[in-house]
Amino acid sequence: MTNPRALIPPRMASLEQDWQMSPGIVSNGHVFLTGFNGCPLDGPPSPDPETQITTAFDAVEMVLAEAGLGFADVIEMTSYHVGLADHLTLFKKLRGSRVSRPYPAWTAIEVAGFATPGVIVELKVVARLKSD
């Protein structure tokens, strides 16, 4: 068993400092990601749902890449949504462009809001490390 190791892409260094959290943690053969929302690293969230959903998936992809992984390595995804019914069809389409069979387990949850006003989506992901 190895000690947990933080995954911090260079563009996310300020997240670790400001929020005192790791964008991802490698532990016991898995990668656990912090929830990533539709707010870009360099500004406020777009009012456009497609832009927000894409931003969240891009952030997840950035952390996975730091571990040499991609969406094919994701085994579980939880998505949190403000106004889930308003953008579920769009979310499924955009998610479907990133995941493949065997699809990760997925739960979608409606929430009242997030820490950043205007955010409509957040993704929580667990991935498995590649076998040697």
Side-chain angles (χ1 to χ4, degrees):
M1 189 182 311
T2 59
N3 290 329
R5 172 176 60 92
L7 292 173
I8 307 167
R11 289 192 53 221
M12 293 185 177
S14 65
L15 293 178
E16 181 199 32
Q17 296 162 3
D18 294 345
W19 291 87
Q20 298 179 336
M21 59 83 180
S22 298
I25 291 282
V26 175
S27 180
N28 294 323
H30 290 87
V31 177
F32 301 88
L33 273 66
T34 291
F36 284 100
N37 63 36
C39 191
L41 296 172
D42 59 356
S46 169
D48 176 52
E50 184 168 358
T51 300
Q52 279 204 38
I53 295 165
T54 299
T55 296
F57 276 110
D58 288 349
V60 167
E61 190 168 50
M62 186 185 311
V63 178
L64 291 172
E66 192 71 13
L69 303 175
F71 277 99
D73 303 297
V74 172
I75 59 172
E76 180 182 29
M77 178 184 296
T78 303
S79 57
Y80 301 89
H81 306 259
V82 174
L84 176 61
D86 297 334
H87 61 263
L88 180 59
T89 300
L90 174 63
F91 185 87
K92 286 172 55 180
K93 175 185 157 208
L94 295 172
R95 180 181 175 275
S97 72
R98 305 273 182 141
V99 298
S100 59
R101 294 181 95 171
Y103 299 112
W106 174 38
T107 301
I109 301 171
E110 174 84 28
V111 297
F114 296 104
T116 303
V119 168
I120 63 162
V121 68
E122 183 165 307
L123 303 176
K124 179 79 174 84
V125 170
V126 177
R128 63 173 166 70
L129 294 175
K130 296 180 185 296
S131 300
D132 291 327

